[in-house]
């Protein structure tokens, strides 16, 4: 038996976020376009050579991007939003589509399946598809110049169109429009020497996959008719696929996820659904989590798969975009380090497996297995929990709570607030870094934080907001901050992953039992409240989001870990209430993100998620107002679960979706407080008063005015101070003018 190794994609960020820093420096005009291009080319070269040096039989190209691979595909085929058309198709256009500019809003930003990565939604209104600059071909030729055996990666036509919006054509018509362009792109790559082309079709693992089979067959038969299909590998990931259907397509082979498929893909193969003449790309190393593989178990899986095909590649279960680059720069206790595997280490695991199977060389495999077993034998599970002792529902119904809260808070019609964070200026980041590296004292750092909190309380007073926040200047990230303070979490130094665009997060790693041991946010929140008569929100992250945005442990049932976190957050909620905080926001932006791709698993996931949130928030008194927040997701599937959270107020994104979210409320009597985000904080442009007024009016067509709040889409930490002040002034002025109307004007 002989196997080969490959990869589906590598992190773009760089070991120390070189990619992010270069792009942001270009946006800030600190470097030229030529300097940006040189930096990114060097990083691309480093990524390619690193993968080559791990003896991959084929290295992916086309996974590298200046922003997002879906947006790259849009530009490849000239699917350019109508408002941006007429310009040269270059990198500046790409950035404007993604971020917006002074004239035009950005394209919508949506979660990539059930991950924390976000893609830019393609827009089909009044487009003229054509093959543009073939950036994938350029990157393939660059890899060839480095003497690297590479395979191009491209988003497939079914997935690309399914993730698009707009236009008068049906999905099938859009796919047919693109087929000649895909063929042209494939032919250019084959002429350049591509032996394999990875065509990513993850949409086929969703419930929509069955409905898409007819157009999928039509598309790939068209590729066969053009004599390009025998170079194509259809790649799926994140869930089970229909193996029998994939086997029937006229392509060289296909890829399956054997990590996140709940065992279903292997079951289908054993049932005889796999065509043994196809090449199988087996995703056996977890591409989405950081735990070291049980390489002996993986070796056994490979040996099983090899009985069903003579042409077997092994690879990660998905692109490694979702994990950090390398452990090399981390200083971690060896007992935990033994259990970890970042992108580079996952390539080591693949190489060890290939050496053991192809050469009988078990040295590296045995070393990795010994490390894995040392970690597994550590005892991190020694706490007991009484989940039943904590209340999982509010004492009274919302109608009662609402009256008590209004008596206590005395809020105006259409109250205004923000989501939580204010700009993390270079000075804020420098002070935090100085403090963490012991360059300034605790006293000096605390004095700085108090000054910054006080300054922004005064700014909020001047703007005229109704419910304030302290600004979160002491926090690096809304999940990592809690990971640093709760027992059972590990925080890395360079464990960054891309979330959207240049935005990177550093997910904490849950390796043991979770416990609250001391107040986390009370000091800063109480200080802010002491400076104003307006209510200041306590700002927390909810248990579902902390779990989804961490690298979770896999040795316990997911819901048990989630409920451990819920008890910890409940302790902090009660500590804030005890300290006199009247409004407490527990954010759950990742609740929708964690929704399984198959509907069969939705009810169980949502039931457990709702229970965890309520476990974290229900112990407060009726007069304490609980807020939550969700952003940048498709909410229709979970609107009933959102209602079941029983939060007094939820703030939710609508600006990039241009009010489409309102449709989700048509089939539910939403009788809780709600703030529809009325401007996009991910774009540097300042909204006009008309834009915000229209957004508010649109929401009031569907939502009772007495329940309606006015707020931005998300936190403001990534924006500049002047942008924030200008935008919030527009927001408050719009709300104040609308308060003069006793009835809702027609939008």
């Amino acid at each position: 038996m002989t196997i080969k190794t490959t990869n589906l994609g590598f992190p773009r960020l760089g070991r120390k976020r070189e990619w992010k820093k270069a792009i942001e420096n270009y946006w800030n005009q600190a470097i030229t376009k030529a300097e940006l291009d040189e930096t990114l080319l060097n990083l691309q070269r480093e990524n390619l050579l690193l993968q080559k040096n791990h003896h991959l039989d084929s290295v992916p190209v086309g996974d590298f991007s200046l922003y997002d691979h879906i947006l790259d595909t849009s530009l490849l085929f000239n699917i350019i939003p109508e408002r941006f058309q007429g310009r040269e198709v270059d990198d500046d256009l790409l950035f404007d589509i993604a971020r917006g500019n002074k004239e035009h809003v950005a394209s919508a930003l949506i979660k990539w399946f059930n991950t924390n990565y976000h893609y830019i939604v393609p827009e089909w209104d009044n487009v003229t598809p054509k093959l543009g600059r073939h950036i994938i071909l350029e990157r393939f030729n660059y890899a060839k110049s480095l003497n690297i055996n590479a395979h191009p990666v491209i988003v497939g036509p079914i997935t690309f169109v399914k993730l698009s919006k707009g236009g008068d054509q049906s999905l099938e018509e859009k796919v047919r429009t693109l087929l000649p362009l895909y063929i042209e792109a494939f032919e250019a790559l084959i002429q350049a020497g591509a032996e394999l082309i990875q065509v990513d079709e993850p949409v086929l693992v969703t419930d929509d996959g069955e409905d898409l089979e007819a157009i999928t067959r039509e598309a790939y038969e068209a590729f066969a008719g053009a004599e390009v299909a025998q170079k194509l590998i259809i790649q799926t990931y994140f869930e089970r696929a229909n193996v029998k259907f994939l086997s029937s397509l006229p392509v060289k082979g296909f890829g399956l996820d054997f990590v996140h498929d709940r065992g279903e893909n292997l079951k289908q193969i054993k049932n005889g659904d796999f065509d043994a003449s196809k090449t199988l790309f087996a995703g056996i190393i977890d591409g989405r989590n950081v735990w070291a593989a049980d390489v002996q178990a993986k070796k056994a899986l490979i040996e099983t798969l090899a009985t069903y095909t003579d042409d077997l590649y092994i690879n990660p279960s998905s692109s490694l975009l979702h994990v950090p680059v390398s452990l090399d720069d981390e200083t971690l206790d060896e007992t935990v380090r033994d259990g970890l595997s970042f992108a580079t280490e996952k390539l080591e695991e693949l190489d060890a497996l290939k050496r053991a199977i192809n050469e009988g060389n078990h040295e590296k495999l045995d070393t990795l297995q010994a490390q894995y077993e040392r970690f597994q034998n550590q005892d991190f599970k020694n706490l007991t929990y009484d989940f039943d002792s904590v209340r999982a529902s509010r004492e009274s119904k919302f109608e009662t709570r609402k009256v008590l809260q209004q008596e206590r808070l005395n809020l105006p019609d259409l109250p205004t607030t923000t989501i939580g964070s204010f700009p993390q200026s270079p000075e804020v980041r420098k002070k935090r870094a100085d403090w963490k590296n012991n360059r300034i004292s605790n006293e000096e750092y605390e004095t700085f934080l108090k000054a910054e909190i006080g300054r922004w309380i005064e700014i909020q007073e001047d703007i005229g907001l109704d419910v304030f926040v302290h600004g979160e200047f002491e926090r690096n990230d809304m999940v990592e901050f809690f990971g640093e303070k709760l027992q059972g979490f590990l925080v890395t130094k360079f464990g960054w992953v891309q979330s959207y665009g240049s935005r990177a997060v550093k997910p904490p790693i849950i390796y043991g039992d979770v416990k609250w041991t001391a107040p986390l946010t009370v000091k800063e929140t109480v200080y802010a409240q002491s400076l104003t008569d307006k209510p200041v929100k306590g700002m927390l992250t909810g248990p579902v989001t902390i779990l989804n945005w961490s690298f979770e442990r896999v040795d316990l049932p997911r819901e048990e870990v989630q409920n451990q976190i819920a008890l910890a957050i409940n302790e902090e909620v009660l500590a804030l209430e005890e300290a006199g905080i009247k409004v407490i926001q527990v954010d759950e932006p990742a609740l929708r993100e964690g929704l399984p791709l198959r509907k069969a698993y939705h009810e169980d996931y949502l039931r457990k998620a709702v229970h965890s949130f309520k476990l974290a928030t229900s112990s407060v008194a009726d007069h304490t107002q609980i807020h939550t927040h969700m952003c940048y997701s498709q909410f229709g599937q979970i609107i009933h679960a959102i209602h079941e959270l029983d939060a007094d107020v939820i703030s939710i994104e609508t600006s990039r979706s241009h009010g489409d979210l309102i449709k989700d409320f048509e089939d539910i009597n939403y009788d809780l407080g709600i703030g529809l985000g009325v401007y996009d904080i991910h774009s540097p442009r300042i909204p006009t008063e008309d834009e915000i007024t229209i957004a508010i009016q649109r929401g009031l067509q569907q939502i009772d005015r007495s329940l309606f709040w006015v707020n931005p889409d998300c936190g403001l930490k990534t924006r500049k101070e002047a942008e924030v002040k200008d935008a919030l002034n527009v927001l408050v002025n719009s709300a104040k003018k609308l308060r003069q109307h006793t009835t809702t004007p027609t939008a």
Side-chain angles (χ1 to χ4, degrees):
M1 174 177 59
T2 301
I3 62 169
K4 298 176 183 177
T5 55
T6 188
N7 189 19
L8 309 190
F10 199 76
R12 302 163 188 152
L13 275 175
R15 282 170 56 161
K16 298 184 178 178
R17 294 181 295 162
E18 296 88 346
W19 181 89
K20 166 191 172 70
K21 293 171 185 175
I23 289 173
E24 291 181 352
N25 281 337
Y26 176 68
W27 292 342
N28 295 327
Q29 300 181 332
I31 62 173
T32 65
K33 182 62 168 61
E35 290 172 317
L36 172 67
D37 290 344
E38 181 181 6
T39 300
L40 296 186
L41 187 65
N42 288 338
L43 181 57
Q44 187 180 356
R45 179 177 183 273
E46 179 182 321
N47 287 353
L48 291 170
L49 291 176
L50 183 150
Q51 293 175 87
K52 176 186 178 181
N53 292 338
H54 280 83
H55 311 108
L56 293 181
D57 292 285
S58 187
V59 173
V61 295
D63 57 320
F64 194 85
S65 174
L66 271 74
Y67 200 97
D68 164 52
H69 57 284
I70 295 291
L71 180 54
D72 290 348
T73 311
S74 295
L75 266 59
L76 175 65
F77 295 125
N78 202 48
I79 311 299
I80 296 172
E82 186 174 9
R83 60 194 175 280
F84 290 103
Q85 291 175 13
R87 291 175 46 182
E88 181 182 356
V89 181
D90 58 10
D91 294 339
D92 288 330
L93 175 63
L94 179 148
F95 290 139
D96 281 352
I97 293 171
R99 305 175 69 233
N101 57 26
K102 291 182 179 179
E103 293 77 31
H104 303 299
V105 297
S107 289
L109 195 66
I110 296 291
K111 299 277 187 181
W112 176 247
F113 296 90
N114 58 347
T115 75
N116 189 32
Y117 179 77
H118 305 61
Y119 69 92
I120 299 295
V121 178
E123 299 178 30
W124 278 75
D125 294 314
N126 297 312
V127 299
T128 304
K130 62 182 179 180
L131 187 63
R133 176 188 172 190
H134 202 332
I135 190 68
I136 300 174
L137 177 62
E138 293 176 18
R139 289 174 178 156
F140 178 74
N141 285 330
Y142 179 65
K144 282 177 57 181
S145 74
L146 298 175
N147 196 30
I148 291 173
N149 185 36
H151 66 270
V153 179
I154 186 171
V155 179
I158 314 303
T159 295
F160 178 75
V161 173
K162 183 63 179 176
L163 299 184
S164 304
K165 73 174 191 175
D168 297 327
Q169 296 173 297
S170 67
L171 179 144
E172 290 78 8
E173 289 169 335
K174 291 173 185 174
V175 170
R176 292 176 189 127
T177 299
L178 289 179
L179 293 182
L181 306 182
Y182 269 93
I183 290 170
E184 188 178 349
F186 290 151
E187 288 175 339
L189 291 166
I190 292 168
Q191 289 170 7
E195 291 297 323
L196 298 173
I197 300 175
Q198 176 184 320
V199 187
D200 284 0
E201 294 283 17
V203 76
L204 296 180
V205 308
T206 67
D207 285 324
D208 292 324
E210 184 175 346
D211 295 334
L212 296 169
E213 287 182 0
I215 187 60
T216 301
R217 183 176 301 283
E218 181 180 332
Y220 285 88
E221 286 180 350
F223 297 152
E227 300 185 346
V228 297
Q230 278 306 305
K231 300 290 186 180
L232 304 184
I233 302 296
I234 298 176
Q235 187 58 246
T236 69
Y237 35 83
F238 300 151
E239 247 290 358
R240 71 179 190 269
N242 185 338
V243 174
K244 191 170 186 177
F245 171 71
L246 291 175
S247 290
S248 72
L249 297 176
V251 293
K252 180 177 179 59
F254 53 89
L256 300 172
D257 185 335
F258 290 95
V259 177
H260 300 283
D261 65 324
R262 305 170 192 259
E264 293 295 325
N265 284 332
L266 181 59
K267 186 183 299 183
Q268 292 178 78
I269 290 175
K270 289 182 175 180
N271 286 342
D273 294 340
F274 178 73
D275 179 353
S277 69
K278 302 289 187 185
T279 301
L280 177 61
F281 284 70
I284 66 168
I285 300 295
D286 193 345
R288 294 181 55 172
N289 210 333
V290 294
W291 300 112
D294 180 347
V295 287
Q296 288 293 353
K298 300 300 181 183
K299 181 173 179 289
L301 173 60
I302 293 167
E303 291 168 347
T304 298
L305 293 172
T307 64
Y308 295 93
T309 179
D310 293 328
D311 196 3
L312 177 63
Y313 282 75
I314 61 170
N315 46 259
S317 62
S318 64
S319 170
L320 297 177
L321 176 74
H322 308 289
V323 296
V325 176
S326 173
L327 278 167
D328 284 350
D329 299 306
E330 302 293 341
T331 54
L332 302 171
D333 186 284
E334 287 299 321
T335 59
V336 178
R337 187 187 183 96
D338 281 345
L340 298 177
S341 177
F342 291 177
T344 303
E345 290 73 35
K346 292 180 188 298
L347 301 182
E348 292 278 359
E349 291 171 343
L350 290 171
D351 187 46
L353 287 162
K354 183 169 72 170
R355 289 172 185 263
I357 291 172
N358 292 355
E359 305 168 16
N361 181 349
H362 289 76
E363 182 179 356
K364 182 184 286 190
L365 191 80
D366 291 343
T367 298
L368 294 177
Q369 186 67 25
Q371 291 174 353
Y372 169 82
E373 291 177 358
R374 277 200 302 271
F375 175 76
Q376 294 302 321
N377 289 330
Q378 299 296 318
D379 183 15
F380 301 122
K381 298 173 288 185
N382 51 20
L383 298 181
T384 57
Y385 298 85
D386 185 1
F387 296 112
D388 295 333
S389 67
V390 177
R391 198 163 67 209
S393 61
R394 295 293 292 272
E395 195 168 12
S396 302
K397 293 189 177 299
F398 174 70
E399 292 80 4
T400 300
R401 305 195 310 258
K402 179 184 175 186
V403 173
L404 296 173
Q405 291 164 15
Q406 180 59 18
E407 289 175 354
R408 194 181 191 204
L409 298 173
N410 192 29
L411 297 172
D413 178 37
L414 302 177
T416 58
T417 189
T418 62
I419 302 306
S421 58
F422 280 131
Q424 296 263 323
S425 66
E427 183 182 14
V428 169
R429 294 194 298 270
K430 183 179 185 303
K431 286 289 187 183
R432 187 188 305 122
D434 287 346
W435 173 67
K436 285 191 172 184
N437 290 286
N438 298 314
R439 292 190 289 265
I440 62 174
S441 66
N442 291 339
E443 292 75 17
E444 184 177 349
Y445 183 54
E446 188 167 329
T447 298
F448 170 78
L449 289 177
K450 284 185 174 181
E452 198 69 3
I453 290 169
R455 192 168 69 84
W456 275 93
I457 290 292
E458 186 174 336
I459 290 170
Q460 292 173 88
E461 295 274 15
D462 292 342
I463 291 171
L465 289 163
D466 300 306
V467 176
F468 293 2
V469 295
H470 80 277
E472 303 179 22
F473 305 108
E474 78 284 5
R475 306 184 194 184
N476 40 24
D477 174 82
M478 65 181 294
V479 172
E480 185 183 5
F481 172 81
F482 292 94
E484 289 175 331
K485 292 177 175 288
L486 292 173
Q487 180 177 309
F489 284 80
L490 170 73
V491 174
T492 61
K493 189 174 183 180
F494 297 107
W496 300 97
V497 294
Q498 184 184 3
S499 178
Y500 64 87
S502 68
R503 168 78 169 136
V505 295
K506 187 148 57 71
I509 299 167
I510 307 174
Y511 72 94
D513 287 329
V514 177
K515 185 179 180 181
W516 181 93
T517 57
L520 314 174
T521 66
V522 173
K523 180 171 63 177
E524 293 81 9
T525 309
V526 168
Y527 176 72
Q529 185 63 81
S530 73
L531 302 177
T532 180
D533 293 330
K534 295 283 185 72
V536 175
K537 287 192 285 190
M539 297 301 308
L540 306 174
T541 304
V544 182
T545 295
I546 289 178
L547 183 64
N548 281 335
W549 286 358
S550 299
F551 292 118
E552 65 186 86
R553 61 192 288 189
V554 293
D555 60 327
L556 286 181
R558 178 183 175 87
E559 63 268 23
E560 186 172 336
V561 182
Q562 191 167 270
N563 287 340
Q564 288 181 8
I565 301 170
L567 292 191
I569 297 303
N570 176 65
E571 294 275 9
E572 184 68 9
V573 167
L574 292 176
L576 286 165
E577 184 182 49
E578 177 68 22
I581 302 304
K582 303 172 184 177
V583 183
I584 302 170
Q585 182 168 311
V586 182
D587 289 345
E588 287 290 17
L591 189 145
R592 166 62 181 83
E593 169 192 312
L595 194 70
L597 297 179
R598 296 284 186 174
K599 291 177 184 175
Y601 310 121
H602 285 189
E603 183 180 352
D604 180 67
Y605 167 83
L606 290 172
R607 177 177 55 80
K608 292 171 179 174
V610 168
H611 177 74
S612 291
F613 179 84
K614 295 175 79 171
L615 203 61
T617 59
S618 296
S619 295
V620 295
D622 286 343
H623 62 228
T624 297
Q625 191 171 76
I626 295 293
H627 288 226
T628 190
H629 169 66
M630 297 179 189
C631 57
Y632 297 101
S633 288
Q634 297 160 309
F635 295 106
Q637 292 174 296
I638 65 167
I639 195 69
H640 292 277
I642 291 174
H643 186 263
E644 289 171 11
L645 294 175
D646 199 26
D648 297 304
V649 181
I650 180 172
S651 54
I652 202 164
E653 178 269 339
T654 57
S655 69
R656 284 203 182 194
S657 58
H658 308 296
D660 291 346
L661 180 66
I662 301 302
K663 298 174 184 176
D664 294 332
F665 289 86
E666 292 177 354
D667 65 343
I668 184 172
N669 179 24
Y670 199 89
D671 54 0
L672 300 164
I674 184 166
L676 298 183
V678 294
Y679 83 89
D680 176 21
I681 67 90
H682 294 86
S683 171
R685 71 182 296 275
I686 307 302
T688 67
E689 195 169 300
D690 282 347
E691 288 171 348
I692 287 184
T693 299
I694 289 171
I696 296 171
Q697 290 172 336
R698 187 178 290 152
L700 289 173
Q701 300 300 314
Q702 192 64 39
I703 297 167
D704 188 286
R705 187 184 185 103
S706 69
L707 303 174
F708 200 92
W709 287 63
V710 179
N711 49 260
D713 268 352
C714 204
L716 299 164
K717 66 182 293 184
T718 61
R719 299 269 53 90
K720 295 180 179 177
E721 183 170 321
E723 296 169 355
V724 169
K725 290 178 180 177
D726 289 347
L728 290 180
N729 272 309
V730 174
L731 181 149
V732 169
N733 289 337
S734 297
K736 285 181 176 178
K737 288 182 179 179
L738 284 171
R739 285 172 190 163
Q740 300 170 12
H741 297 275
T742 56
T743 59
T744 302
T746 301

